[in-house]
Amino acid sequence: IFIFLIYTIIFFTYVICSFHLLHSLSINTVSFFFFFFLMIRRPPRSTLSSSSAASDVYKRQVSTQSTGDGLRHMRWQRVLLALVAALSSLVLLVSCAALWVTVSSADRLPASYSEAGTDGEVDELIRLVVEHRLENQLGNISHSQAMADATASLVRSEEFCLGLGSPDQYEWCSMSIGLNLLREWRSLKGGMDGATWETIRDVQLYHKVNPDEESYYSQQDLSSQVALDKISGVMEGDEEWGVRGHGYVMKRASFKAPRGTWHVEKVGPFRRSGGEWVHCWFDAFRNLRAAAPSNMGQWVGGTLLAAVTNSNQIIGYPPAHMHHFHLYQKDHLSSVFPKFSILGSETHGDASCDQAGLGGLCYLAMLPKGMGLHRPEQFFFDALINFVARPKDPSGDEFWFLAAVNLADDRQEAAVYGAPVPFAPEIPDFNPVQYTEAATFRLPTRGQSVNWEGITEICRFDMDLVWWKFHSHWFYADDLWVIVDATPEDLGLGRAPLVQREVPCTLPSAWAYPKTRPLLPSESSGMTAEEFCDPARSLVPSSARRLGVLLELNRTGLSIDDVKARIAQSLTSHRSRTGRGALLFDPPPTREFSSHIDNQAYWSRPLAKPAFSHIARGSDVTIVGFYQPQVSPVPEGQTVRMHAKFWGYGKP
């Protein structure tokens, strides 16, 4: 733009000087604009009478001596005029060329995220939503009704995003659940449909189909600790796992996109019959391994982890619930786990949007333009999906496990100016040594319960919260509070009657839930129970040497509303004393983000606005979970396994 402005100034300066020159030469300025016509114009021919011809000869003879020098001067003026006009035209052309080059080479997406979509573009994006809806719809629905539902859903999403407190929050929001998400999906879906896929037949794979939930959780060979050990071993290159010769294949493709290059791998084809739990591991993107420090200075702009159809359409919820899809990343700079994490590359069923709207398209996790996560050294794919609806094809519907990662080729293409900072208060899971729990905690199947966790100094610098999401099992979760600048003690938690029952690190006889026993420490870690529970000898952090904490309210005579009132009163007192402490998030009631299809409830992503955005350095955070059945009571004997997590991103 600067170059264009310089050329424009030169052009207008040239024009002004030219007019001044023409005026000094007494040349009509109209001649300047029509100089080409004037240069090539010939005198008109006509039939002259003899008297007229004689008169003309006489006039020319009379004026020959007086105008000879003038004719030579006029020739010079015409030459000068031609040069001035030609140079002015050249400067104008160069100026326009500079503008064209500047605009065409600017680092911007086809539809700038700072601009609203045109009617034609919005219609095109809504058609993508309709295609997704019709692919996943359990019952019959007309195309016109699907269009109306998709339009209404997109309007609700954009209204929510526009109501947030900052441009950064809008960009994150629209990229996650709105118009800009659909723009990214259009690019990815079009690339996959037009790609040339490489087929790899002898791929190493772990794959198991479990008929129901309990059979998955009771797998002796897949305790959380064993799984983490195996994944860590794979990342270090010293672990053999899985099988070959299973009949499944991997398909791989790469293609350019506006913000980098998409690398896509999918494994299958599998078939589903309904009700089963399907678990899959594979060593992802072996061709993208980059040992440190060669991976530094490169960026991940987004990921997609999903089950897809043969036509690369994301399978939504329903008919499939994504229990977890993780793309583990080996990363020596990780602050989450030693050497590997799932930061920015995980998704769950409740990441879905409104089932009548964007649905499973919201599994696509893109960062806003200008932000990225630094590229890890290698990847590993781990997924569990359970199908909650019968297939359309009596012989079983085909599906693939898919992982896609968007990598920026270099800093210029990525236009990355910063990496978001994770902000993740959560209620800890039960002891990870237990094979039965899969990183969840148990709840009683009747009544109301509460638990909480305090996190000290969640951030070491000031930051603004730019995006967030919750993860829970909403069929039993009633509410989830995130409170900043207040500890559990400040909120009256831990004082009678609000005292959690802790299951300490003891022998299995102390296990509070008799339905399924915990895995003995010696069965997974090689330590005896005494060694495991002894702080001086245990290899397990103290926070993991307990089996969980919970307050069952039927023991106190209080209800969830009573506990909320006590916490609110304590928070008010704390604020009056210190001037600090506030409720950051209170998600909407579950009925506002659930849908009922064929008399079955399905939950999507809760849309909750933060009460404020700025998180000060050294802030303490308390997260409180409230639980009770959100549907008809859970059948007797069924286990309730729960997550209560909050993930956010901050901008320093």
Coordinates of all heavy atoms in Angstrom, one line a residue, residues 243-300:
V243 N -0.8 -54.6 16.2 CA -0.6 -55.7 15.3 C -0.6 -55.2 13.8 O -1.0 -54.1 13.5 CB -1.8 -56.8 15.4 CG1 -1.8 -57.3 16.8 CG2 -3.1 -56.1 15.1
R244 N -0.2 -56.1 12.9 CA -0.2 -55.9 11.5 C -1.0 -57.1 10.9 O -1.4 -58.0 11.6 CB 1.2 -55.8 10.9 CG 2.0 -54.7 11.5 CD 3.4 -54.7 10.8 NE 4.3 -53.7 11.5 CZ 4.4 -52.5 11.2 NH1 3.7 -52.0 10.2 NH2 5.2 -51.7 11.8
G245 N -1.3 -57.0 9.6 CA -2.0 -58.0 8.9 C -3.4 -58.1 9.3 O -4.1 -59.2 9.3
H246 N -4.0 -57.0 9.7 CA -5.4 -56.9 10.2 C -6.4 -56.7 9.1 O -7.6 -56.7 9.3 CB -5.5 -55.9 11.3 CG -4.7 -54.7 11.0 ND1 -4.9 -53.8 9.9 CD2 -3.6 -54.1 11.6 CE1 -4.1 -52.9 9.9 NE2 -3.2 -53.0 10.9
G247 N -6.0 -56.3 7.9 CA -6.9 -56.0 6.8 C -7.3 -54.6 6.7 O -8.0 -54.2 5.7
Y248 N -7.0 -53.7 7.6 CA -7.3 -52.3 7.5 C -6.1 -51.6 6.8 O -5.0 -52.0 6.8 CB -7.5 -51.7 8.9 CG -8.7 -52.4 9.6 CD1 -8.4 -53.2 10.7 CD2 -10.0 -52.2 9.2 CE1 -9.4 -53.8 11.4 CE2 -11.0 -52.8 9.9 CZ -10.7 -53.6 11.0 OH -11.8 -54.2 11.6
V249 N -6.4 -50.4 6.2 CA -5.4 -49.6 5.5 C -5.4 -48.2 6.1 O -6.3 -47.8 6.8 CB -5.6 -49.6 4.0 CG1 -5.7 -51.0 3.4 CG2 -6.9 -48.8 3.7
M250 N -4.3 -47.6 5.8 CA -4.2 -46.1 6.1 C -4.1 -45.4 4.8 O -3.4 -45.8 3.8 CB -2.9 -45.8 6.9 CG -2.7 -44.3 7.0 SD -1.1 -43.9 7.9 CE -1.6 -44.3 9.6
K251 N -4.9 -44.3 4.7 CA -4.9 -43.4 3.5 C -4.3 -42.1 4.0 O -4.7 -41.6 5.0 CB -6.2 -43.3 2.9 CG -6.7 -44.6 2.2 CD -8.0 -44.3 1.4 CE -8.4 -45.6 0.6 NZ -9.5 -45.4 -0.3
R252 N -3.4 -41.5 3.2 CA -2.7 -40.3 3.5 C -2.7 -39.3 2.4 O -2.6 -39.7 1.2 CB -1.3 -40.7 3.9 CG -0.4 -39.5 4.1 CD 1.1 -40.0 4.3 NE 1.3 -40.8 5.4 CZ 2.4 -41.6 5.6 NH1 3.3 -41.6 4.7 NH2 2.5 -42.3 6.7
A253 N -2.9 -38.1 2.7 CA -2.9 -37.0 1.7 C -2.4 -35.7 2.3 O -2.6 -35.5 3.5 CB -4.3 -36.8 1.1
S254 N -1.8 -34.9 1.5 CA -1.4 -33.5 1.9 C -1.8 -32.6 0.8 O -1.7 -32.9 -0.4 CB 0.1 -33.5 2.1 OG 0.5 -34.3 3.2
F255 N -2.2 -31.3 1.2 CA -2.6 -30.3 0.2 C -2.5 -29.0 0.8 O -2.6 -28.8 2.0 CB -4.0 -30.6 -0.4 CG -5.0 -30.9 0.7 CD1 -5.7 -29.8 1.3 CD2 -5.3 -32.2 1.1 CE1 -6.6 -30.0 2.3 CE2 -6.2 -32.4 2.1 CZ -6.9 -31.4 2.7
K256 N -2.2 -28.0 0.0 CA -2.1 -26.6 0.4 C -3.4 -26.0 0.8 O -4.5 -26.4 0.2 CB -1.5 -25.7 -0.7 CG 0.0 -26.0 -1.0 CD 0.8 -25.3 0.1 CE 2.3 -25.3 -0.2 NZ 3.1 -24.6 0.8
A257 N -3.4 -25.1 1.7 CA -4.6 -24.4 2.2 C -4.1 -22.9 2.4 O -2.9 -22.6 2.4 CB -5.1 -25.0 3.5
P258 N -5.1 -22.0 2.6 CA -4.7 -20.6 2.8 C -3.7 -20.4 3.9 O -3.0 -19.4 3.9 CB -6.0 -19.9 3.0 CG -7.1 -20.8 2.4 CD -6.6 -22.2 2.5
R259 N -3.7 -21.2 5.0 CA -2.9 -20.9 6.1 C -1.8 -21.9 6.4 O -1.3 -22.0 7.4 CB -3.8 -20.8 7.4 CG -4.8 -19.7 7.3 CD -5.7 -19.7 8.5 NE -5.0 -19.7 9.8 CZ -5.6 -19.9 11.0 NH1 -6.9 -20.3 11.0 NH2 -4.9 -19.9 12.1
G260 N -1.5 -22.7 5.4 CA -0.4 -23.7 5.5 C -0.7 -24.9 4.7 O -1.3 -24.8 3.6
T261 N -0.3 -26.1 5.2 CA -0.6 -27.3 4.5 C -1.3 -28.3 5.4 O -0.9 -28.5 6.6 CB 0.8 -28.0 4.1 OG1 1.5 -27.1 3.2 CG2 0.5 -29.3 3.3
W262 N -2.4 -28.9 4.9 CA -3.1 -29.9 5.6 C -2.5 -31.2 5.4 O -2.2 -31.6 4.2 CB -4.6 -29.9 5.2 CG -5.5 -29.0 5.9 CD1 -6.0 -27.8 5.4 CD2 -5.9 -29.0 7.3 NE1 -6.8 -27.2 6.3 CE2 -6.7 -27.9 7.5 CE3 -5.7 -29.9 8.3 CZ2 -7.3 -27.6 8.7 CZ3 -6.3 -29.6 9.5 CH2 -7.1 -28.5 9.7
H263 N -2.2 -32.0 6.4 CA -1.8 -33.4 6.4 C -2.8 -34.2 7.0 O -3.2 -34.0 8.1 CB -0.4 -33.5 7.1 CG 0.7 -32.6 6.6 ND1 1.5 -33.0 5.5 CD2 1.1 -31.4 7.0 CE1 2.3 -32.0 5.3 NE2 2.1 -31.0 6.2
V264 N -3.4 -35.2 6.2 CA -4.5 -36.0 6.7 C -4.2 -37.4 6.6 O -3.6 -37.9 5.6 CB -5.7 -35.7 5.8 CG1 -7.0 -36.3 6.4 CG2 -6.0 -34.1 5.7
E265 N -4.5 -38.2 7.6 CA -4.4 -39.6 7.6 C -5.7 -40.2 8.2 O -6.3 -39.7 9.1 CB -3.3 -40.1 8.5 CG -1.9 -39.8 7.9 CD -0.7 -40.3 8.8 OE1 -1.0 -40.7 9.9 OE2 0.4 -40.3 8.3
K266 N -6.2 -41.3 7.5 CA -7.4 -42.0 8.0 C -7.1 -43.5 7.9 O -6.5 -44.0 7.0 CB -8.6 -41.5 7.3 CG -8.6 -41.7 5.8 CD -9.9 -41.2 5.1 CE -9.9 -41.5 3.6 NZ -11.2 -41.0 3.0
V267 N -7.7 -44.2 8.9 CA -7.5 -45.6 9.0 C -8.9 -46.3 9.0 O -9.8 -45.9 9.6 CB -6.8 -46.0 10.3 CG1 -6.8 -47.5 10.6 CG2 -5.3 -45.5 10.3
G268 N -9.0 -47.4 8.2 CA -10.2 -48.1 8.1 C -10.2 -49.0 6.9 O -9.1 -49.4 6.4
P269 N -11.3 -49.3 6.3 CA -12.7 -49.0 6.8 C -13.2 -50.0 7.8 O -13.0 -51.2 7.7 CB -13.5 -49.1 5.5 CG -12.8 -50.1 4.7 CD -11.4 -50.0 5.0
F270 N -13.8 -49.4 8.8 CA -14.5 -50.2 9.9 C -16.0 -50.2 9.6 O -16.5 -49.3 8.8 CB -14.2 -49.6 11.2 CG -12.8 -49.5 11.6 CD1 -12.1 -48.3 11.4 CD2 -12.1 -50.6 12.1 CE1 -10.7 -48.2 11.7 CE2 -10.7 -50.6 12.4 CZ -10.1 -49.4 12.2
R271 N -16.7 -51.1 10.2 CA -18.2 -51.1 10.1 C -18.8 -51.1 11.5 O -18.3 -51.7 12.4 CB -18.7 -52.3 9.3 CG -18.4 -52.1 7.8 CD -19.2 -53.0 6.9 NE -19.0 -52.7 5.5 CZ -19.7 -51.8 4.9 NH1 -20.7 -51.2 5.5 NH2 -19.5 -51.6 3.6
R272 N -19.9 -50.4 11.7 CA -20.6 -50.3 13.0 C -22.0 -50.9 12.8 O -22.6 -50.8 11.8 CB -20.7 -48.9 13.4 CG -21.6 -48.0 12.6 CD -21.8 -46.6 13.2 NE -22.8 -45.8 12.5 CZ -24.1 -45.8 12.8 NH1 -24.5 -46.6 13.8 NH2 -24.9 -45.0 12.2
S273 N -22.4 -51.5 13.9 CA -23.7 -52.1 14.0 C -24.6 -51.4 15.0 O -25.9 -51.5 14.9 CB -23.7 -53.6 14.3 OG -23.0 -53.8 15.5
G274 N -24.0 -50.6 15.9 CA -24.8 -49.8 16.9 C -24.6 -50.4 18.3 O -24.7 -51.6 18.5
G275 N -24.3 -49.4 19.2 CA -24.1 -49.8 20.6 C -22.7 -50.1 21.0 O -22.4 -50.2 22.2
E276 N -21.8 -50.5 20.0 CA -20.5 -50.9 20.4 C -19.6 -49.7 20.7 O -19.8 -48.6 20.3 CB -19.9 -51.7 19.2 CG -19.6 -51.0 18.0 CD -20.7 -50.9 17.0 OE1 -21.9 -50.8 17.5 OE2 -20.5 -51.0 15.8
W277 N -18.5 -50.0 21.4 CA -17.4 -49.1 21.8 C -16.2 -49.5 21.0 O -15.7 -50.6 21.2 CB -17.2 -49.1 23.3 CG -18.3 -48.5 24.1 CD1 -19.6 -48.8 24.1 CD2 -18.1 -47.4 25.1 NE1 -20.3 -48.0 25.0 CE2 -19.4 -47.2 25.6 CE3 -17.0 -46.7 25.5 CZ2 -19.6 -46.2 26.6 CZ3 -17.3 -45.7 26.5 CH2 -18.5 -45.5 27.0
V278 N -15.7 -48.6 20.2 CA -14.6 -49.0 19.3 C -13.4 -48.1 19.7 O -13.4 -46.9 19.7 CB -14.9 -48.7 17.8 CG1 -13.8 -49.2 16.9 CG2 -16.3 -49.4 17.4
H279 N -12.3 -48.8 20.0 CA -11.0 -48.2 20.4 C -10.0 -48.4 19.3 O -9.8 -49.4 18.8 CB -10.6 -48.8 21.7 CG -9.5 -48.1 22.5 ND1 -8.8 -48.6 23.5 CD2 -9.1 -46.8 22.3 CE1 -8.0 -47.7 24.0 NE2 -8.1 -46.6 23.3
C280 N -9.2 -47.3 19.1 CA -8.2 -47.4 18.0 C -7.0 -46.5 18.4 O -7.1 -45.4 18.8 CB -8.8 -46.9 16.7 SG -7.7 -46.9 15.3
W281 N -5.8 -47.1 18.1 CA -4.5 -46.4 18.2 C -3.8 -46.5 16.9 O -3.9 -47.6 16.3 CB -3.6 -47.0 19.3 CG -4.0 -46.8 20.7 CD1 -5.0 -46.0 21.2 CD2 -3.3 -47.3 21.8 NE1 -5.0 -46.1 22.5 CE2 -3.9 -46.8 23.0 CE3 -2.1 -48.0 22.0 CZ2 -3.5 -47.1 24.3 CZ3 -1.7 -48.3 23.3 CH2 -2.4 -47.9 24.4
F282 N -3.1 -45.5 16.5 CA -2.1 -45.7 15.4 C -1.1 -44.6 15.5 O -1.3 -43.5 16.0 CB -2.8 -45.7 14.0 CG -3.5 -44.5 13.6 CD1 -2.8 -43.4 13.0 CD2 -4.9 -44.4 13.7 CE1 -3.5 -42.3 12.5 CE2 -5.6 -43.2 13.3 CZ -4.9 -42.2 12.7
D283 N 0.1 -45.0 15.0 CA 1.3 -44.1 15.0 C 1.1 -43.1 13.9 O 1.3 -43.4 12.7 CB 2.5 -44.9 14.8 CG 3.8 -44.2 15.3 OD1 3.6 -43.0 15.7 OD2 4.9 -44.8 15.2
A284 N 0.7 -41.9 14.2 CA 0.2 -40.9 13.2 C 1.4 -40.1 12.6 O 2.3 -39.7 13.4 CB -0.8 -40.0 13.8
F285 N 1.3 -39.8 11.4 CA 2.2 -38.8 10.7 C 3.7 -39.2 10.9 O 4.5 -38.3 11.3 CB 1.9 -37.4 11.2 CG 0.4 -37.0 11.0 CD1 -0.3 -36.7 12.1 CD2 -0.1 -36.9 9.8 CE1 -1.7 -36.4 12.0 CE2 -1.5 -36.5 9.6 CZ -2.2 -36.3 10.7
R286 N 4.0 -40.4 10.6 CA 5.4 -40.8 10.7 C 6.3 -40.0 9.8 O 7.5 -39.8 10.0 CB 5.6 -42.3 10.5 CG 4.9 -43.2 11.5 CD 5.1 -44.7 11.1 NE 6.5 -45.1 11.2 CZ 7.1 -45.5 12.3 NH1 6.4 -45.6 13.4 NH2 8.3 -45.9 12.2
N287 N 5.7 -39.6 8.6 CA 6.5 -38.8 7.7 C 6.7 -37.4 8.1 O 7.4 -36.6 7.4 CB 5.7 -38.8 6.3 CG 4.3 -38.2 6.4 OD1 3.6 -38.4 7.4 ND2 3.9 -37.5 5.3
L288 N 6.1 -36.9 9.2 CA 6.2 -35.6 9.7 C 7.1 -35.4 10.9 O 7.2 -34.4 11.5 CB 4.9 -35.0 10.0 CG 3.9 -34.8 8.8 CD1 2.6 -34.2 9.3 CD2 4.4 -34.0 7.7
R289 N 7.8 -36.5 11.3 CA 8.6 -36.4 12.5 C 9.7 -35.5 12.3 O 10.4 -35.4 11.2 CB 9.2 -37.8 12.8 CG 8.1 -38.8 13.3 CD 8.6 -40.1 13.8 NE 7.6 -41.0 14.3 CZ 7.8 -42.2 14.8 NH1 9.1 -42.6 14.9 NH2 6.8 -42.9 15.3
A290 N 10.0 -34.7 13.3 CA 11.0 -33.6 13.2 C 11.6 -33.5 14.6 O 11.1 -32.9 15.5 CB 10.4 -32.3 12.8
A291 N 12.8 -34.1 14.7 CA 13.5 -34.1 16.0 C 13.9 -32.7 16.4 O 14.3 -31.9 15.6 CB 14.7 -35.0 16.0
A292 N 13.7 -32.4 17.7 CA 14.1 -31.0 18.2 C 15.6 -30.8 18.0 O 16.4 -31.8 18.1 CB 13.8 -30.9 19.7
P293 N 16.0 -29.6 17.6 CA 15.3 -28.4 17.6 C 14.7 -28.1 16.2 O 14.3 -26.9 15.9 CB 16.3 -27.4 18.0 CG 17.6 -27.9 17.4 CD 17.5 -29.4 17.5
S294 N 14.8 -29.0 15.2 CA 14.4 -28.7 13.8 C 12.9 -28.4 13.7 O 12.5 -27.7 12.7 CB 14.7 -29.9 12.9 OG 13.9 -31.0 13.3
N295 N 12.1 -28.7 14.8 CA 10.7 -28.4 14.7 C 10.3 -27.0 15.2 O 9.2 -26.5 15.0 CB 9.9 -29.4 15.6 CG 10.3 -29.3 17.1 OD1 11.5 -29.2 17.4 ND2 9.4 -29.3 18.0
M296 N 11.3 -26.3 15.8 CA 11.0 -25.0 16.3 C 10.9 -24.0 15.2 O 11.6 -24.1 14.2 CB 12.1 -24.7 17.4 CG 12.1 -25.6 18.5 SD 13.2 -25.2 19.8 CE 12.4 -23.8 20.5
G297 N 10.1 -23.0 15.5 CA 9.9 -22.0 14.4 C 8.8 -22.4 13.4 O 8.6 -21.6 12.5
Q298 N 8.2 -23.6 13.6 CA 7.1 -24.0 12.8 C 5.9 -24.1 13.6 O 6.0 -24.3 14.8 CB 7.4 -25.3 12.1 CG 8.7 -25.2 11.2 CD 9.1 -26.6 10.6 OE1 8.3 -27.2 9.9 NE2 10.3 -27.0 10.9
W299 N 4.7 -24.1 13.0 CA 3.5 -23.9 13.8 C 2.3 -24.8 13.4 O 2.2 -25.1 12.2 CB 3.0 -22.4 13.7 CG 4.1 -21.5 14.1 CD1 5.0 -20.9 13.3 CD2 4.3 -21.0 15.4 NE1 5.8 -20.1 14.0 CE2 5.4 -20.1 15.4 CE3 3.7 -21.3 16.6 CZ2 5.9 -19.5 16.5 CZ3 4.3 -20.6 17.8 CH2 5.3 -19.8 17.7
V300 N 1.5 -25.2 14.3 CA 0.3 -25.9 14.1 C -0.8 -24.9 14.1 O -1.1 -24.2 15.2 CB 0.1 -27.0 15.2 CG1 -1.3 -27.7 15.0 CG2 1.2 -28.0 15.1

